Amino acid sequence: MSKAGRLVVLVSGSGTNLQALLDASADPSYGARVVAVGADREGIEGLARAARAGVPTFVEKLRDHPTRADWDRAIADRIAPYEPDLVVSAGFMKILGAPTLDAFPVLNTHPALLPSFPGAHGVRDALAHGVKVTGCTVMLADAGVDSGPIVAQEAVRVLADDDEAVLHERIKTVERRLLVEIVGRMAREGWTVSGRTVRIGNQPGGGST
Ligand code: GRF
């Protein structure tokens, strides 16, 4: 059974999910701690949050590499020295390639109820479709776009006056709590994957609808 004590968190933006993990891991009983934060761009609040927490950071930009395959290799090489038990892609706007996926378990979070509305605009797409309930999904990453085995989901109601920003903020409040809960449980209890079924400890994946 895998355990998740050492976390490398990957970010591309504001990093509020990262902050939730940093805050949770301040308590040793949480069972996991963020040992490094990686990004695909500079000047983002996520990197500033890591710096304020005294966590080492690295940046690997796609445009600094001749091919995507080179970037895939480079980001895996930046992660490896931190020997993570789990890589958490928390608002990281890149699909990770085989060098990372083959070397480490990767947890991802998405602001929609997969398999509906995968991709970079899950909140916008759900609103445009007119759904009345959406939510967030925590899943293991695979080579596809938000297609890996689901660990946990939680529903969020869509309100009549919601726009993308308002709905996304309401989802993110739930998403941060769910991510912190799931990462902590994975760290403390371990997890197994069988096909598309992820089990934490001896229980089915957490979250509810
Ligand atoms: C989250 O909703 C994540 O699921 C999505 O982008 C948002 C990132 O938020 N891909 P933050 O950077 O953690 O604040």
Side-chain angles (χ1 to χ4, degrees):
M1 188 176 288
S2 308
K3 293 264 185 177
R6 295 174 62 82
L7 310 175
V8 169
V9 182
L10 302 178
V11 295
S12 296
S14 63
T16 63
N17 281 284
L18 163 67
Q19 188 68 56
L21 290 168
L22 288 167
D23 293 348
S25 61
D27 179 351
S29 70
Y30 181 61
R33 67 193 174 93
V34 181
V35 296
V37 171
D40 62 339
R41 62 199 74 186
E42 280 158 355
I44 56 172
E45 182 60 16
L47 288 171
R49 291 177 191 277
R52 285 197 292 272
V55 172
T57 62
F58 59 88
V59 176
E60 208 55 62
K61 293 184 237 172
L62 188 53
R63 69 166 180 268
D64 289 343
H65 299 276
T67 69
R68 178 68 181 229
D70 289 305
W71 180 84
D72 286 341
R73 181 76 259 155
I75 191 98
D77 288 347
R78 299 298 292 274
I79 294 168
Y82 296 103
E83 300 183 343
D85 300 303
L86 186 67
V87 174
V88 183
S89 174
F92 187 61
M93 302 306 282
K94 294 270 185 308
I95 305 295
L96 291 160
T100 298
L101 296 174
D102 291 349
F104 317 103
V106 179
L107 197 69
N108 198 358
T109 175
H110 182 69
L113 291 176
L114 294 170
S116 294
F117 313 116
H121 304 293
V123 179
R124 186 187 308 172
D125 294 345
L127 262 184
H129 199 83
V131 299
K132 303 303 180 196
V133 175
T134 183
C136 54
T137 302
V138 175
M139 69 281 189
L140 292 170
D142 65 10
V145 177
D146 298 324
S147 56
I150 290 170
V151 183
Q153 293 184 300
E154 209 160 307
V156 173
R157 199 170 295 279
V158 179
L159 303 181
D161 294 333
D162 277 347
D163 61 19
E164 183 180 358
V166 167
L167 178 57
H168 198 173
E169 276 312 311
R170 190 165 347 100
I171 292 170
K172 282 175 68 170
T173 302
V174 176
E175 187 181 14
R176 287 189 286 266
R177 175 174 47 70
L178 187 64
L179 182 67
V180 165
E181 176 198 326
I182 292 302
V183 169
R185 287 186 52 209
M186 289 171 79
R188 294 186 302 272
E189 302 171 38
W191 76 94
T192 58
V193 186
S194 171
R196 290 197 58 84
T197 302
V198 183
R199 284 208 156 73
I200 300 177
N202 293 319
Q203 305 297 319
S208 57
T209 54

